[in-house]
């Protein structure tokens, strides 16, 4: 089977690594990188660290408005699909790259496989929510990370071609956490002690593009009294400067890091404060308390298990959680057994898509 896989953003590189290894054992894969994340720290380093095959196509689309970016991707992907004539197109998650790949495949009547299908935050103001809903409704095979995702699709009338495979990001964490301990020296480089810092990431437009929200988050970091390690997304850095926000001395600002360094920073943090969906899950997998800087999360299992608290951009809630949120309950295996990629490969091999 010839499969065109479309990726473009940092979380998709992580998800694609175990799946590509699994499906290439019995299938031909053509890898398309849209270039949605395009600088070295957000893109190229992940291909090296995760041992992902170099893309067959790099579209180098770059940044732009949602319409501009998605439209340019759609044009380029359609051209590749017409040339390569794949048996299926595989997309991940909820980015503009996902939607562009889904639309291109659907319009050409090529079977579409959606990895990480069925997630819902129930906030349609989020571009990601729009992307994932639209992608699910044109997909032929919907590969869900949790039973909650399966139930979400059923509520929308989608029951055919739905599989609960488990979460491929859990596969990636299990595969790479020991490699990270061996290869990453990030703790030594930054003079950090295990458990001696809070790891923070902020990148979503709902936070970065809103001065009031970003100001409240940064003020909580300033006032918490804890050492904050803050890998700063380029967009976040731009708005911190534009809004004239001051960062106090307890905040260690660093550039975005590769996956292995990030795993080490996550697994040794006292707590994690983030608006990233992927980081929320990685915190859960690693047993690190997570404070989420959003109004809601699609990863509801991490909240129901008691390991994730929704703080929104409320300075008081963030401060209280940094001080007092110390879960000790079990972490149920909501996200599968760490063999999601192999299950996906078996489904692709055993089902006529």
């Amino acid at each position: 089977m010839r499969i065109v896989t479309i990726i473009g953003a940092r979380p998709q590189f992580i998800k694609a690594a175990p799946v590509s290894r699994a499906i290439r054992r019995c299938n031909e894969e053509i890898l398309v990188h849209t270039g949605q994340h395009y600088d070295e720290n957000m893109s190229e380093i992940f291909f090296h660290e995760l041992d992902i095959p170099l893309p067959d196509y790099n579209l180098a689309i770059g940044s732009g408005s949602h319409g501009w970016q998605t439209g340019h991707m759609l044009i380029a992907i359609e051209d590749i699909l017409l040339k390569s004539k794949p048996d299926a197109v595989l997309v991940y998650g909820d980015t503009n790259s996902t939607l562009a790949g889904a639309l291109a495949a659907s319009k050409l009547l090529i079977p579409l496989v959606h990895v990480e299908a069925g997630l819902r935050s129930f906030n349609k103001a989020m571009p990601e929510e729009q992307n994932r809903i639209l992608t699910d409704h044109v997909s032929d095979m919907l590969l869900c990370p949790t039973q909650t995702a399966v139930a979400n699709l059923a509520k929308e009338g989608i029951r055919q071609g739905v599989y609960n495979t488990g979460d491929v990001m859990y596969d990636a964490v299990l595969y790479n956490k020991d490699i990270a301990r061996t290869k990453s020296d990030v703790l030594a480089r930054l003079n950090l002690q295990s458990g001696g810092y809070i790891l923070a990431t902020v990148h979503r437009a709902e936070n970065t593009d809103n001065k009031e929200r970003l100001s409240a988050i940064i003020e909580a970091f300033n006032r918490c009294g804890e050492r904050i390690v803050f890998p700063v997304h380029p967009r976040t850095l731009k708005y911190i400067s534009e809004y004239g926000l001051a960062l106090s001395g307890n905040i260690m600002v660093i550039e975005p890091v590769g996956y292995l360094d990030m795993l080490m920073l996550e697994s040794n943090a006292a707590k994690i404060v983030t608006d990233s969906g992927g980081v929320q899950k990685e915190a859960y997998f690693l047993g690190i308390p997570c404070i989420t800087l959003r109004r809601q999360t699609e990863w509801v299992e991490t909240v129901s298990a008691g390991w994730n608290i929704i703080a929104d951009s409320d300075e008081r809630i963030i401060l209280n959680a940094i001080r007092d949120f110390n879960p000790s309950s079990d972490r149920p295996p909501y996200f599968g057994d760490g063999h999601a990629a192999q299950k996906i490969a078996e489904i692709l091999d055993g089902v006529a898509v």
Side-chain angles (χ1 to χ4, degrees):
M1 180 185 298
R2 178 180 296 162
I3 299 168
V4 168
T5 294
I6 296 165
I7 56 178
R10 174 177 172 144
Q12 294 170 332
F13 309 146
I14 298 169
K15 296 165 194 171
V19 177
S20 286
R21 279 194 298 270
I23 65 177
R24 285 179 183 235
R25 294 183 189 126
C26 299
N27 301 282
E28 176 189 358
E29 182 184 40
I30 298 171
L31 192 61
V32 178
H33 178 11
T34 65
Q36 183 170 336
H37 282 173
Y38 50 89
D39 70 20
E40 167 67 20
N41 286 335
M42 300 296 288
S43 178
E44 288 182 30
I45 190 172
F46 280 73
F47 285 89
H48 301 314
E49 288 189 340
L50 294 168
D51 196 26
I52 304 171
L54 291 176
D56 298 280
Y57 297 92
N58 191 328
L59 306 183
I61 299 297
S63 61
S65 69
H66 289 292
W68 184 94
Q69 190 179 65
T70 307
H72 280 74
M73 290 176 185
L74 177 58
I75 293 167
I77 293 168
E78 181 182 65
D79 185 54
I80 292 168
L81 297 183
L82 287 170
K83 291 177 182 175
S84 59
K85 297 180 170 55
D87 299 296
V89 171
L90 191 151
V91 296
Y92 292 88
D94 53 23
T95 68
N96 288 341
S97 300
T98 308
L99 180 60
L103 290 174
S106 179
K107 295 288 187 180
L108 294 173
L109 304 180
I110 300 169
L112 177 66
V113 181
H114 186 199
V115 175
E116 209 175 75
L119 300 184
R120 297 293 181 268
S121 68
F122 303 101
N123 178 6
K124 288 189 179 179
M126 292 176 59
E128 296 88 351
E129 183 79 349
Q130 298 170 27
N131 290 344
R132 64 173 72 108
I133 290 173
L134 291 167
T135 299
D136 282 342
H137 281 264
V138 295
S139 292
D140 299 281
M141 294 180 65
L142 300 103
L143 307 180
C144 300
T146 64
Q147 191 57 40
T148 302
V150 173
N152 287 338
L153 292 174
K155 290 174 185 176
E156 296 174 14
I158 304 174
R159 296 179 176 85
Q160 298 298 313
V162 177
Y163 303 85
N164 182 0
T165 62
D167 196 308
V168 295
M169 287 192 76
Y170 187 34
D171 294 25
V173 168
L174 292 177
Y175 184 86
N176 287 288
K177 64 180 183 178
D178 290 335
I179 297 173
R181 291 191 191 103
T182 300
K183 292 190 174 182
S184 172
D185 65 350
V186 68
L187 298 184
R189 281 200 327 266
L190 300 178
N191 194 27
L192 297 172
Q193 298 298 318
S194 182
Y197 60 92
I198 307 291
L199 178 64
T201 76
V202 184
H203 79 280
R204 287 191 179 271
E206 65 188 86
N207 288 324
T208 62
D209 299 11
N210 184 307
K211 183 177 181 179
E212 183 178 347
R213 290 181 64 86
L214 188 58
S215 297
I217 291 167
I218 296 299
E219 187 59 20
F221 293 173
N222 287 337
R223 292 182 54 206
C224 73
E226 301 287 343
R227 191 174 198 183
I228 303 284
V229 176
F230 190 14
V232 181
H233 189 284
R235 183 172 63 233
T236 310
L237 189 62
K238 168 192 168 187
Y239 280 108
I240 287 173
S241 175
E242 187 174 303
Y243 300 151
L245 303 181
L247 301 175
S248 64
N250 67 306
I251 301 176
M252 178 187 293
V253 173
I254 62 174
E255 291 187 355
V257 296
Y259 182 58
L260 298 181
D261 281 352
M262 190 64 176
L263 275 182
M264 285 298 291
L265 289 173
E266 289 172 340
S267 60
N268 287 280
K271 293 172 186 173
I272 294 173
V273 186
T274 188
D275 59 6
S276 162
V279 173
Q280 288 175 59
K281 285 189 297 177
E282 287 164 349
Y284 185 82
F285 302 153
L286 296 166
I288 307 298
C290 185
I291 301 160
T292 293
L293 305 173
R294 289 168 54 185
R295 296 182 178 93
Q296 63 282 115
T297 179
E298 57 273 28
W299 301 110
V300 295
E301 297 86 357
T302 63
V303 177
S304 65
W307 282 82
N308 188 2
I309 186 170
I310 303 298
D312 197 6
S313 61
D314 189 304
E315 182 182 337
R316 178 185 59 83
I317 297 175
I318 298 168
L319 285 169
N320 288 342
I322 288 174
R323 185 183 67 240
D324 298 328
F325 183 52
N326 296 296
S328 59
S329 58
D330 292 336
R331 289 173 289 121
Y334 293 124
F335 299 93
D337 59 5
H339 299 287
Q342 185 57 40
K343 291 174 185 175
I344 289 169
E346 290 170 359
I347 289 167
L348 289 172
D349 290 340
V351 178
V353 295

PDB file of all heavy atoms in Angstrom, residues 3 29 79 88-89 117 120-121 172 258 277 286-287:
ATOM      1  N   ILE A   3       1.127   5.072   1.011  1.00  0.00           N
ATOM      2  CA  ILE A   3       0.476   6.002   1.924  1.00  0.00           C
ATOM      3  C   ILE A   3       1.222   7.329   1.882  1.00  0.00           C
ATOM      4  O   ILE A   3       2.450   7.370   2.031  1.00  0.00           O
ATOM      5  CB  ILE A   3       0.477   5.449   3.364  1.00  0.00           C
ATOM      6  CG1 ILE A   3      -0.297   4.128   3.432  1.00  0.00           C
ATOM      7  CG2 ILE A   3      -0.104   6.470   4.343  1.00  0.00           C
ATOM      8  CD1 ILE A   3      -0.106   3.377   4.735  1.00  0.00           C
ATOM      9  N   GLU A  29       5.716   4.572   2.233  1.00  0.00           N
ATOM     10  CA  GLU A  29       5.249   5.849   2.776  1.00  0.00           C
ATOM     11  C   GLU A  29       5.933   6.995   2.051  1.00  0.00           C
ATOM     12  O   GLU A  29       7.156   6.995   1.883  1.00  0.00           O
ATOM     13  CB  GLU A  29       5.524   5.955   4.274  1.00  0.00           C
ATOM     14  CG  GLU A  29       4.985   7.260   4.863  1.00  0.00           C
ATOM     15  CD  GLU A  29       5.322   7.441   6.341  1.00  0.00           C
ATOM     16  OE1 GLU A  29       6.470   7.104   6.736  1.00  0.00           O
ATOM     17  OE2 GLU A  29       4.463   7.922   7.094  1.00  0.00           O
ATOM     18  N   ASP A  79      -1.390  18.757  -5.676  1.00  0.00           N
ATOM     19  CA  ASP A  79      -0.472  18.454  -6.776  1.00  0.00           C
ATOM     20  C   ASP A  79       0.322  17.180  -6.484  1.00  0.00           C
ATOM     21  O   ASP A  79       0.494  16.319  -7.370  1.00  0.00           O
ATOM     22  CB  ASP A  79       0.474  19.639  -6.991  1.00  0.00           C
ATOM     23  CG  ASP A  79       1.383  19.445  -8.185  1.00  0.00           C
ATOM     24  OD1 ASP A  79       0.874  19.176  -9.292  1.00  0.00           O
ATOM     25  OD2 ASP A  79       2.619  19.548  -8.017  1.00  0.00           O
ATOM     26  N   ALA A  88      -3.910   5.791   0.199  1.00  0.00           N
ATOM     27  CA  ALA A  88      -4.500   6.462   1.351  1.00  0.00           C
ATOM     28  C   ALA A  88      -3.652   7.672   1.716  1.00  0.00           C
ATOM     29  O   ALA A  88      -2.455   7.734   1.402  1.00  0.00           O
ATOM     30  CB  ALA A  88      -4.607   5.517   2.540  1.00  0.00           C
ATOM     31  N   VAL A  89      -4.287   8.627   2.384  1.00  0.00           N
ATOM     32  CA  VAL A  89      -3.605   9.796   2.938  1.00  0.00           C
ATOM     33  C   VAL A  89      -3.777   9.744   4.448  1.00  0.00           C
ATOM     34  O   VAL A  89      -4.881   9.509   4.949  1.00  0.00           O
ATOM     35  CB  VAL A  89      -4.175  11.110   2.369  1.00  0.00           C
ATOM     36  CG1 VAL A  89      -3.608  12.317   3.120  1.00  0.00           C
ATOM     37  CG2 VAL A  89      -3.877  11.215   0.882  1.00  0.00           C
ATOM     38  N   ALA A 117      -8.129  11.084  16.064  1.00  0.00           N
ATOM     39  CA  ALA A 117      -9.500  11.489  15.756  1.00  0.00           C
ATOM     40  C   ALA A 117     -10.346  11.541  17.028  1.00  0.00           C
ATOM     41  O   ALA A 117     -10.029  10.903  18.031  1.00  0.00           O
ATOM     42  CB  ALA A 117     -10.122  10.509  14.765  1.00  0.00           C
ATOM     43  N   ARG A 120     -12.320  16.557  21.339  1.00  0.00           N
ATOM     44  CA  ARG A 120     -13.189  17.727  21.371  1.00  0.00           C
ATOM     45  C   ARG A 120     -12.907  18.547  22.625  1.00  0.00           C
ATOM     46  O   ARG A 120     -12.918  18.032  23.734  1.00  0.00           O
ATOM     47  CB  ARG A 120     -14.675  17.317  21.362  1.00  0.00           C
ATOM     48  CG  ARG A 120     -15.127  16.577  20.113  1.00  0.00           C
ATOM     49  CD  ARG A 120     -15.116  17.451  18.868  1.00  0.00           C
ATOM     50  NE  ARG A 120     -15.586  16.724  17.695  1.00  0.00           N
ATOM     51  CZ  ARG A 120     -14.807  16.058  16.852  1.00  0.00           C
ATOM     52  NH1 ARG A 120     -13.498  16.025  17.046  1.00  0.00           N
ATOM     53  NH2 ARG A 120     -15.326  15.426  15.813  1.00  0.00           N
ATOM     54  N   SER A 121     -12.683  19.845  22.427  1.00  0.00           N
ATOM     55  CA  SER A 121     -12.621  20.781  23.547  1.00  0.00           C
ATOM     56  C   SER A 121     -13.969  21.477  23.727  1.00  0.00           C
ATOM     57  O   SER A 121     -14.210  22.103  24.746  1.00  0.00           O
ATOM     58  CB  SER A 121     -11.547  21.842  23.293  1.00  0.00           C
ATOM     59  OG  SER A 121     -11.930  22.693  22.217  1.00  0.00           O
ATOM     60  N   ALA A 172       5.712   7.214  21.845  1.00  0.00           N
ATOM     61  CA  ALA A 172       6.925   8.018  21.674  1.00  0.00           C
ATOM     62  C   ALA A 172       7.628   8.255  23.003  1.00  0.00           C
ATOM     63  O   ALA A 172       8.860   8.186  23.088  1.00  0.00           O
ATOM     64  CB  ALA A 172       6.579   9.346  21.004  1.00  0.00           C
ATOM     65  N   GLY A 258      14.727  20.665  21.613  1.00  0.00           N
ATOM     66  CA  GLY A 258      14.354  19.448  20.920  1.00  0.00           C
ATOM     67  C   GLY A 258      13.565  18.510  21.806  1.00  0.00           C
ATOM     68  O   GLY A 258      13.390  18.734  23.011  1.00  0.00           O
ATOM     69  N   GLY A 277      -1.503  20.914  24.324  1.00  0.00           N
ATOM     70  CA  GLY A 277      -2.172  19.635  24.501  1.00  0.00           C
ATOM     71  C   GLY A 277      -1.190  18.496  24.652  1.00  0.00           C
ATOM     72  O   GLY A 277      -1.353  17.625  25.514  1.00  0.00           O
ATOM     73  N   LEU A 286       4.359  10.929  32.428  1.00  0.00           N
ATOM     74  CA  LEU A 286       5.566  10.962  33.258  1.00  0.00           C
ATOM     75  C   LEU A 286       5.265  11.140  34.744  1.00  0.00           C
ATOM     76  O   LEU A 286       6.186  11.120  35.567  1.00  0.00           O
ATOM     77  CB  LEU A 286       6.487  12.092  32.774  1.00  0.00           C
ATOM     78  CG  LEU A 286       7.041  11.933  31.357  1.00  0.00           C
ATOM     79  CD1 LEU A 286       7.644  13.238  30.866  1.00  0.00           C
ATOM     80  CD2 LEU A 286       8.073  10.809  31.298  1.00  0.00           C
ATOM     81  N   GLY A 287       3.993  11.348  35.084  1.00  0.00           N
ATOM     82  CA  GLY A 287       3.620  11.513  36.486  1.00  0.00           C
ATOM     83  C   GLY A 287       4.003  12.855  37.070  1.00  0.00           C
ATOM     84  O   GLY A 287       4.343  12.955  38.258  1.00  0.00           O
TER      85      GLY A 287
END
